[in-house]
Amino acid sequence: MKKTILLWRTLSSPKQQSSIARSVRPSFPLKTLQAVLAKLPDLDVQLFDSRSGLFLQDDLRVSLQTRHPSIIVIEAASYGLPEVRDLCSRIRTPGETAVFLVGQGPTSLPDEFLSALSDLPLVFVVAGEPEEIISKAIAEYVASGTFELIRSNSYNRSSRRPFRHLFQEFSASPAIVYSAEELSSYVYRFPLRSDRKLVWGHAMATRGCPHTCTFCTHMIRESYGHEVRTKSLVTLRAELRQMKDLGVNALAFADDDLTASRDYLVGLCDMMIQEGFGFRWTAHARVDECDEGLLRKMKASGCSLLRFGVEAGSERVLRYYNKTCDAANWWRQARDVVRECRKLDIQTSGLFILGAPGEGFTELLKTAYRALFTGFDLLQLHYYTPYSDTPEARRTGAQRIINHDHYTLDACNYSGVSSFALKGIYFLTYFMFYLNPVQICRTVWNYHGFVLFNFSHFMALKLGFLGIPISLVSLRKKP
Ligand code: SF4
C-alpha cells in the first residue's frame, strides 16, 4: 500500500497577508522535496502551500484526517507556530505519523516548536536546508519503517546540537515541476520594463552566499550557508523549458546572490540565450561582482532588473555591516555598475538600511544622498533589524533579540538620532526619490508598458507605496 507524505507550508505573516503589495514565491524546499520524492516508489505525495491561496485550510485538514499520512513535512515561519499546533492536534494516530518541522521558524526556535508539539511522539526539527536529509529519511522509512536517520540528524534538545543542514547535492537535484494553476497563484510584485502582460515563473539556480554581512540572516535569505552550490544547467534548462511551455515570460530568480559565481552565471546566461527563452528576468546581485562584460551577457539573456543591496552611504557603517572589504571603493563601484546598467537598459533597484546602531545624522544623510543621486530606478528602504542569529546580534548580545521576519514587527530605532529624525529621513528619502520630476519622467519612460498591460499589478504596488506613511507611525523607541 502506498504511504502518504504531506508537504505543507504555513500561511504568510498576518502583516504580509494584509499587504496588497506582497510578493509570494513558491516554497523551493518543498517543491524540491516533491520532485525528489516523485522518484521514490510507493509514495503518494501531496503538497499544500497555504501561501499560494490555491486551496482552503479545510482541504488540508480533510486530507490529514482521511489519508492518514505517514509523514508530514511542515515548513513554518516563527509566527506559524499556532497554525502548526492546530494542524498537529488533528492527527488521529500520533504514534504512526511523524512530523518533520523545517523552515525559518523551527530553525530559529527549535525548542519552542518542540515544546508546542510535546504530546506527539515523532516530531523532528530539521534546521537549515532540509531536502537532502529528509528525502534520505523518507527513503529509509519506506525501506525499513524506521526513523533512525532523521533521529540522529535532527535538532537534539538535550545536547542542543544545532544541526543546520546544507543541500550539498543541490547540483544533482531534479527539476522542479509546476502546474499552470500553481504558477499563477504566486505573486511577484517587482515591475519589469515590458510591453506585455507579465506571466511570472520562479527559479533558484544557486544556494548559499559567500559574503558575511553582519546584519544578514536566513530570516531574510532564501538559502543557508556561505558555500555556493549551483544547480545543474541541464536541470535548470528543463525547469525553464517547462515554464516557457506554460506561458511564462518573466522570471524571478530567488537566489541570495546570483552573481556570486561568475562562471556559473555566464553559463546560465549562455544557456538561456541558446534556448531562446526570451524571458525578462530579475535577481539579486552585488555591485562588486558585476562588470561591463558580465552585465552585457546578462542583458543578452533577458536581464531586466537587478536589485543591489548597497545598504549605507557611510564607509563606517559599511564596515560595521562588513558589507565589503573595500568600503572606500564601494560607492565608486556602485556608480559604475548603475551607469553601465542604464547604458544597457537594465533597470536597477537600490536596497538601503537606515538606522544602524549608532548611525548619526550626517551618516543617515549620506545614505539618503546615495539613495537619491546614484541613479537607481527603484528604491527600497528598510530600518535596521537586529536578528538573533546574525554575527551582529552575537557581537552585541545586549541588543533586543528578534526571531521573526521584520515584516511582522514594528521596526526599532537603534541609531544615534531620535525616532522622529529617523522616520523623517525615511519618509523624505522615499518621497524625494519617487516624486521628483526627473524620477517621474524616468518611471513613466521605463514602466508605461508595464502599467498598461499589468494594471492590477501596478495598482497593488501603488497602494503598497501609499502604505509607507502609515508604516512610519509604527517606529518605536530603542528597547
Ligand atoms: S546581505 Fe546579501 S550579500 Fe550579504 S550575506 Fe546576505 S545574502 Fe549575502
Side-chain angles (χ1 to χ4, degrees):
M1 199 175 118
K2 283 192 169 189
K3 295 188 188 312
T4 299
I5 311 289
L6 211 63
L7 311 177
W8 172 47
R9 180 164 69 162
T10 59
L11 285 162
S12 310
S13 71
K15 197 165 175 181
Q16 278 178 300
Q17 284 170 49
S18 64
S19 163
I20 193 161
R22 78 190 199 281
S23 293
V24 183
R25 294 181 192 275
S27 160
F28 290 100
L30 294 190
K31 286 300 295 177
T32 305
L33 206 46
Q34 184 187 37
V36 175
L37 296 180
K39 295 187 178 304
L40 295 182
D42 299 327
L43 289 181
D44 170 22
V45 181
Q46 297 201 325
L47 193 153
F48 291 88
D49 185 354
S50 293
R51 292 186 204 172
S52 73
L54 262 188
F55 66 95
L56 300 171
Q57 294 296 86
D58 279 349
D59 299 335
L60 173 66
R61 290 179 193 135
V62 167
S63 183
L64 177 68
Q65 294 186 349
T66 57
R67 305 181 82 100
H68 305 297
S70 307
I71 295 173
I72 310 175
V73 182
I74 303 176
E75 182 186 348
S78 45
Y79 43 75
L81 186 49
E83 259 184 284
V84 172
R85 198 170 23 218
D86 175 63
L87 184 91
C88 290
S89 69
R90 296 164 194 268
I91 296 175
R92 285 198 177 152
T93 48
E96 294 163 22
T97 302
V99 177
F100 296 173
L101 297 168
V102 307
Q104 295 167 339
T107 296
S108 306
L109 304 167
D111 289 328
E112 285 83 343
F113 274 80
L114 288 173
S115 297
L117 305 183
S118 57
D119 48 337
L120 297 178
L122 293 170
V123 180
F124 305 98
V125 166
V126 184
E129 296 175 344
E131 297 94 326
E132 198 169 314
I133 190 65
I134 287 190
S135 53
K136 286 179 181 166
I138 291 177
E140 179 201 52
Y141 173 72
V142 170
S144 63
T146 61
F147 290 108
E148 287 319 305
L149 189 65
I150 201 77
R151 211 182 289 283
S152 56
N153 281 280
S154 55
Y155 173 77
N156 185 314
R157 217 170 178 182
S158 51
S159 66
R160 293 183 178 271
R161 200 175 42 202
F163 261 111
R164 282 205 177 176
H165 294 276
L166 292 184
F167 191 1
Q168 295 291 2
E169 293 171 13
F170 181 61
S171 64
S173 62
I176 292 175
V177 178
Y178 297 97
S179 67
E181 193 188 24
E182 210 178 359
L183 272 183
S184 65
S185 70
Y186 295 108
V187 202
Y188 203 65
R189 290 295 183 206
F190 280 92
L192 292 189
R193 195 167 169 192
S194 170
D195 54 3
R196 53 191 165 164
K197 183 164 175 52
L198 297 179
V199 181
W200 283 99
H202 302 266
M204 196 168 185
T206 64
R207 295 275 179 107
C209 171
H211 304 285
T212 51
C213 306
T214 55
F215 57 83
C216 190
T217 160
H218 67 273
M219 290 284 185
I220 53 174
R221 284 180 53 183
E222 291 283 340
S223 67
Y224 290 77
H226 296 303
E227 184 190 338
V228 178
R229 291 142 289 143
T230 56
K231 187 170 255 186
S232 144
L233 288 178
V234 175
T235 308
L236 198 55
R237 180 171 56 206
E239 278 181 27
L240 301 188
R241 169 59 57 202
Q242 196 244 350
M243 284 191 252
K244 178 78 185 167
D245 292 344
L246 292 175
V248 165
N249 57 24
L251 189 62
F253 281 104
D255 305 53
D256 291 322
D257 176 12
L258 189 63
T259 47
S261 170
R262 184 192 170 95
D263 289 349
Y264 178 79
L265 179 54
V266 168
L268 169 60
C269 293
D270 282 339
M271 180 269 281
M272 289 200 282
I273 295 166
Q274 280 160 16
E275 292 294 314
F277 287 132
F279 296 132
R280 286 179 177 264
W281 60 265
T282 175
H284 272 292
R286 278 185 56 114
V287 292
D288 53 355
E289 291 169 345
C290 290
D291 56 42
E292 186 187 337
L294 184 62
L295 289 168
R296 282 187 185 283
K297 179 68 81 177
M298 290 158 81
K299 175 66 187 175
S301 69
C303 179
S304 180
L305 171 68
L306 289 176
R307 304 189 307 281
F308 293 106
V310 280
E311 322 306 358
S314 121
E315 278 182 38
R316 185 195 71 81
V317 177
L318 286 170
R319 286 198 192 94
Y320 182 82
Y321 289 152
N322 197 30
K323 186 69 199 178
T324 165
C325 51
D326 189 7
N329 274 318
W330 181 250
W331 280 103
R332 184 191 54 73
Q333 289 169 323
R335 267 198 320 271
D336 290 350
V337 165
V338 169
R339 194 178 302 132
E340 195 56 40
C341 284
R342 178 152 303 167
K343 268 200 256 167
L344 293 168
D345 192 24
I346 296 173
Q347 275 65 61
T348 54
S349 177
L351 282 71
F352 290 82
I353 301 173
L354 290 178
E359 191 171 7
F361 192 70
T362 314
E363 290 174 323
L364 285 162
L365 286 186
K366 281 186 187 170
T367 298
Y369 174 83
R370 296 297 187 186
L372 292 172
F373 299 111
T374 302
F376 292 111
D377 298 286
L378 299 168
L379 175 68
Q380 273 182 272
L381 302 176
H382 296 275
Y383 291 121
Y384 171 79
T385 307
Y387 287 99
S388 62
D389 69 339
T390 57
E392 172 56 22
R394 285 193 287 276
R395 191 167 68 188
T396 54
Q399 285 192 350
R400 180 183 168 192
I401 290 177
I402 291 177
N403 273 315
H404 302 255
D405 85 71
H406 65 290
Y407 297 106
T408 65
L409 288 171
D410 300 335
C412 290
N413 178 11
Y414 293 88
S415 74
V417 304
S418 68
S419 294
F420 180 79
L422 187 58
K423 279 191 275 187
I425 291 170
Y426 178 96
F427 185 84
L428 280 174
T429 307
Y430 256 131
F431 278 78
M432 285 172 70
F433 183 88
Y434 282 110
L435 296 183
N436 86 67
V438 175
Q439 190 65 31
I440 289 174
C441 293
R442 189 187 287 167
T443 305
V444 170
W445 172 254
N446 282 337
Y447 296 117
H448 60 278
F450 167 79
V451 175
L452 273 178
F453 293 95
N454 302 272
F455 194 69
S456 58
H457 192 132
F458 165 73
M459 284 307 289
L461 275 173
K462 197 161 169 283
L463 290 173
F465 180 65
L466 291 176
I468 290 169
I470 298 163
S471 74
L472 292 177
V473 295
S474 65
L475 189 71
R476 294 200 306 261
K477 288 205 175 98
K478 181 175 174 177

